[in-house]
Amino acid sequence: MIKKSKSHWNLLTLGGLLFTSAIIITVTVVLIVKSRDQSLINQRRAVARQVYEQYFTLHQAGNWWLNVPPQQPTTELIDIAEWRQEHISNVVKRYADVSPTTRAIAQAFSRFRVSYSTGSSSIQFERINSKISDEPVGFEICFYARQESDQHPANFYYRREWKAMMVAAIVWPEKVFPALLFHELGHALADKEGRPSASADDDSDSWIGEEVEMHTLEENVLNATSGARYHNEIDRILNRSNARSPEEASLSFTISDLKDLDKILGCEKGGSEVASTMLAEYRLSLGFRYIDSALPERERQEAKIAFYRLVRQPL
């Protein structure tokens, strides 16, 4: 049996103390950094809330072209429906080559029909001399009036039980409408293909993963409609921010930044409906672009799902 000397035990004890001290110092430093980071996030949240308030004061009056749900056809409503049907078809064709997803959407939805919400159902008006088919032709885009806006969960969304897209009857900015259209058509395509994400619980990773995909699609179409200026502006804000997390990045905008983004996308005269829609997309774009630049590809989807879940919480 080998006996350890007293000095040997002292060395072991000293080594243990040094090791324990190192752990304590490391944990303390980590806690200090986390506390500092959380303090910075809280500061940015407070500033962002003030910016939100300023932004919404610039977008108060909604520009609705349909105030009351229609019950009877009029020449004006028929004219609007025919024009919008043609416009939607042209938009899908024009931006079909933005990405593989937009190409798949354009192939799946080549024909459209415009209807109006009556509150509990939808109605499609036809000219008296039109040939009425037994079965509706084309994917349904249903516009709803200001009077029933409280009945809808969003200004622009895919209504799965109707297999139709619901759209607030406001004047959407020309560069924004295509992006929102492709976003919701993406959900319609996922439903048509029977993807599990289309019917998943709205807090599941599967459902949120589909939202991440469609918001990324929306972002890419916004970049296309703006001639690449959208991504350039988002990246400019990111580069200035020195952010260390997606949330921090998403809270880095100033009121001047939001005005610049609005100008790029022609949103300056949009009402509160446009403002709320675009604020969400601006914030998601900042967070997603941060993740793309900071993480390896294999880690990005999980990080984006976590970030999207965070953004859904009150600021």
Side-chain angles (χ1 to χ4, degrees):
M1 180 176 180
I2 299 175
K3 294 183 178 179
K4 293 185 173 65
S5 67
K6 186 175 181 181
S7 61
H8 186 73
W9 280 113
N10 287 339
L11 286 173
L12 288 175
T13 304
L14 179 60
L17 288 172
L18 289 173
F19 179 73
T20 302
S21 298
I23 291 177
I24 292 173
I25 291 170
T26 301
V27 170
T28 302
V29 169
V30 169
L31 291 175
I32 290 173
V33 170
K34 284 187 176 180
S35 177
R36 183 187 63 192
D37 288 348
Q38 188 58 50
S39 176
L40 179 60
I41 287 292
N42 290 338
Q43 290 174 23
R44 294 218 176 191
R45 285 175 180 169
V47 172
R49 284 193 290 268
Q50 294 176 358
V51 172
Y52 273 31
E53 292 175 4
Q54 293 178 58
Y55 184 66
F56 276 105
T57 61
L58 303 174
H59 297 274
Q60 291 184 338
N63 193 4
W64 291 76
W65 53 265
L66 187 65
N67 289 304
V68 180
Q71 303 298 324
Q72 298 294 329
T74 66
T75 300
E76 181 183 13
L77 288 175
I78 293 172
D79 287 344
I80 290 172
E82 289 178 348
W83 178 85
R84 291 193 176 277
Q85 182 172 307
E86 182 179 3
H87 176 65
I88 289 166
S89 295
N90 290 336
V91 164
V92 171
K93 291 175 184 176
R94 181 175 181 181
Y95 296 104
D97 292 327
V98 167
S99 70
T101 305
T102 56
R103 283 193 290 274
I105 289 170
Q107 290 172 2
F109 303 105
S110 58
R111 301 183 68 179
F112 300 90
R113 59 189 177 92
V114 169
S115 65
Y116 297 100
S117 172
T118 61
S120 58
S121 62
S122 65
I123 187 170
Q124 185 175 358
F125 298 137
E126 301 279 356
R127 296 191 187 278
I128 295 175
N129 59 351
S130 297
K131 183 179 179 180
I132 307 296
S133 59
D134 294 333
E135 292 292 332
V137 177
F139 180 77
E140 183 177 5
I141 311 286
C142 182
F143 288 90
Y144 66 84
R146 181 204 294 263
Q147 193 178 83
E148 64 170 275
S149 59
D150 291 343
Q151 301 175 28
H152 297 271
N155 300 315
F156 218 117
Y157 67 101
Y158 174 62
R159 190 167 187 169
R160 188 166 178 261
E161 68 272 23
W162 284 14
K163 306 296 182 187
M165 188 187 304
M166 308 300 294
V167 183
I170 63 175
V171 179
W172 290 98
E174 184 179 344
K175 294 176 182 177
V176 169
F177 183 81
L180 300 177
L181 179 68
F182 271 101
H183 178 138
E184 301 308 330
L185 285 175
H187 288 309
L189 179 60
D191 187 27
K192 184 177 182 180
E193 293 177 343
R195 293 189 213 169
S197 57
S199 56
D201 182 81
D202 68 1
D203 195 44
S204 66
D205 283 357
S206 178
W207 185 90
I208 293 177
E210 185 177 305
E211 282 297 331
V212 168
E213 178 187 356
M214 300 317 163
H215 275 286
T216 302
L217 172 65
E218 181 179 333
E219 175 189 319
N220 289 334
V221 176
L222 286 172
N223 196 51
T225 63
S226 65
R229 294 178 66 198
Y230 182 69
H231 276 166
N232 288 341
E233 182 63 17
I234 291 292
D235 290 343
R236 183 190 67 78
I237 298 170
L238 278 179
N239 292 335
R240 185 198 64 209
S241 71
N242 294 317
R244 286 178 287 187
S245 71
E247 182 181 12
E248 190 178 339
S250 75
L251 299 173
S252 298
F253 48 73
T254 65
I255 190 63
S256 178
D257 294 330
L258 294 179
K259 287 180 179 179
D260 289 343
L261 285 165
D262 276 0
K263 187 174 182 179
I264 287 170
L265 297 174
C267 297
E268 305 102 308
K269 297 181 180 180
S272 59
E273 299 83 7
V274 171
S276 61
T277 300
M278 298 316 299
L279 259 181
E281 187 58 30
Y282 294 159
R283 193 175 174 196
L284 287 170
S285 293
L286 285 164
F288 288 171
R289 298 283 283 180
Y290 172 87
I291 290 169
D292 285 341
S293 66
L295 296 179
E297 187 173 357
R298 67 181 180 277
E299 299 177 14
R300 292 173 189 170
Q301 182 67 3
E302 183 179 353
K304 288 179 181 180
I305 288 172
F307 171 64
Y308 185 91
R309 187 174 275 116
L310 184 148
V311 169
R312 294 180 77 191
Q313 304 304 315
L315 187 63

